[in-house]
Amino acid sequence: MNEDDLTSVVPDLAVGEWIDTGVDWLNSTFREFFRAVADVVDTLITGLIDAMLLVPPDIMILVFALLGLLLRSWQFAIGSALGLAFVVSMGMWIPAVQTLALVVIATAVAVLIAIPIGILAARNKVVSNVVRPVLDFMQTMPAFVYLIPAILFFSIGYVPGMFATILFALPPGVRLTELGIRQVDSETVEAGQAFGATPRQILRGIQMPLAVPTIMAGVNQVIMLALSMAVVAGMVGADGLGKKVVESISTINIGLGAEAGLSVVVLAIYLDRLTASIGGSGTDKSLANMVRRSRTRSVAQRATTGI
């Protein structure tokens, strides 16, 4: 039995045709705008990739390790250096840098969009009620579907990959920003109001600082989803680890697929642990916290001795 054999009182709706018509109209009406956006985004991504590839891999690994030492711990710094050296040894450094650049720019754009929407949703019930089903739709839509209009609007390459990545990674940033602000203790907010603070002052001085850990948890989720989608973006011609995975599937090259997959895992672990440290106050073993504690002890000693 096929669809034509089925009978039903429910009328047929040509949803697909309506969407096709709408997408065709958008593409024909705003073609020049999409081309301009594509040029800007492509310039940004290729510029960042070229800049990162100008630096020798050894230096880049050292920089990433120092960043891990500053924000997390010396164990994480050593692990990061070994993991990234492993990526270089597999010959996956250039695809890894291409994927990292795509993730960085897509995450930056997604966060710039998500945080203001999350703030509006937290402060306005109507906005929240409108945004919530849209986010549900965006999160439940299969990731591959985002690639179809992206190809139509921006052809193939980095730009459709980044467009799809932003759409896929955006929802958790909005949700956790709204949640973080709503979870701020109401008595603290009322205390600010009692002292005559304006809503903007309360947002900047009370709600946003207290919501930072939750907001950064959202940013962490945005990065992880962006990384997963950046791999899928290889299907639309975006260079990077995703393209290597697609190439390995098309040629049934298990070794290439394994090397690309392991490189993705190394990047994912590094970005996840690093952003988790930024979201909290860092670990006790982070260089930043060690310097902070040392300064606190020095100030306490000077206060005690009166010097």
Side-chain angles (χ1 to χ4, degrees):
M1 181 178 291
N2 55 41
E3 290 288 339
D4 295 334
D5 298 329
L6 297 175
T7 58
S8 172
V9 295
V10 179
D12 293 334
L13 295 178
V15 176
E17 292 180 12
W18 300 341
I19 293 176
D20 279 344
T21 304
V23 170
D24 288 342
W25 178 81
L26 281 174
N27 193 30
S28 58
T29 307
F30 299 103
R31 182 170 300 167
E32 295 304 319
F33 171 75
F34 290 135
R35 284 180 181 172
V37 171
D39 289 341
V40 171
V41 172
D42 191 60
T43 302
L44 278 175
I45 294 179
T46 53
L48 181 59
I49 291 171
D50 291 343
M52 293 173 74
L53 290 178
L54 274 177
V55 183
D58 298 345
I59 303 297
M60 287 297 291
I61 291 173
L62 182 62
V63 170
F64 287 135
L66 289 175
L67 196 58
L69 174 64
L70 179 67
L71 297 175
R72 194 168 180 90
S73 65
W74 63 268
Q75 294 95 332
F76 177 67
I78 292 175
S80 302
L82 292 175
L84 293 171
F86 181 53
V87 173
V88 175
S89 70
M90 291 189 293
M92 288 287 160
W93 180 249
I94 292 177
V97 168
Q98 291 167 335
T99 299
L100 186 61
L102 181 61
V103 170
V104 167
I105 294 180
T107 300
V109 175
V111 168
L112 285 175
I113 297 171
I115 289 181
I117 295 176
I119 292 172
L120 282 174
R123 296 167 68 86
N124 189 306
K125 190 71 177 174
V126 175
V127 175
S128 178
N129 289 337
V130 172
V131 165
R132 198 166 298 170
V134 175
L135 297 179
D136 292 339
F137 171 84
M138 292 173 70
Q139 282 191 295
T140 51
M141 179 65 71
F144 288 95
V145 177
Y146 291 122
L147 297 176
I148 302 170
I151 294 172
L152 190 61
F153 293 144
F154 303 111
S155 185
I156 59 172
Y158 286 117
V159 183
M162 202 186 83
F163 173 79
T165 302
I166 291 170
L167 287 179
F168 186 66
L170 187 66
V174 178
R175 287 188 191 281
L176 287 172
T177 299
E178 180 184 0
L179 180 66
I181 293 176
R182 285 188 184 278
Q183 282 182 336
V184 173
D185 184 28
S186 59
E187 292 184 359
T188 307
V189 175
E190 288 170 4
Q193 292 169 337
F195 281 101
T198 64
R200 181 171 294 184
Q201 289 172 328
I202 290 173
L203 176 67
R204 287 189 305 179
I206 298 175
Q207 291 175 315
M208 287 298 287
L210 293 176
V212 162
T214 308
I215 293 173
M216 285 307 299
V219 173
N220 177 275
Q221 290 300 305
V222 170
I223 292 173
M224 291 297 103
L225 287 177
L227 184 57
S228 66
M229 190 62 191
V231 174
V232 177
M235 296 185 68
V236 292
D239 288 333
L241 295 170
K243 198 169 185 179
K244 294 293 180 185
V245 172
V246 174
E247 184 182 332
S248 70
I249 293 172
S250 61
T251 58
I252 317 180
N253 187 335
I254 298 174
L256 179 63
E259 289 177 346
L262 287 170
S263 302
V264 171
V265 171
V266 171
L267 283 184
I269 293 174
Y270 178 79
L271 293 174
D272 178 64
R273 303 297 188 271
L274 197 68
T275 52
S277 299
I278 297 172
S281 56
T283 67
D284 291 339
K285 297 176 182 176
S286 69
L287 185 60
N289 270 349
M290 289 180 185
V291 172
R292 194 178 299 121
R293 284 200 301 272
S294 175
R295 286 180 178 174
T296 304
R297 279 197 298 271
S298 299
V299 171
Q301 286 174 355
R302 283 200 295 269
T304 304
T305 57
I307 298 174

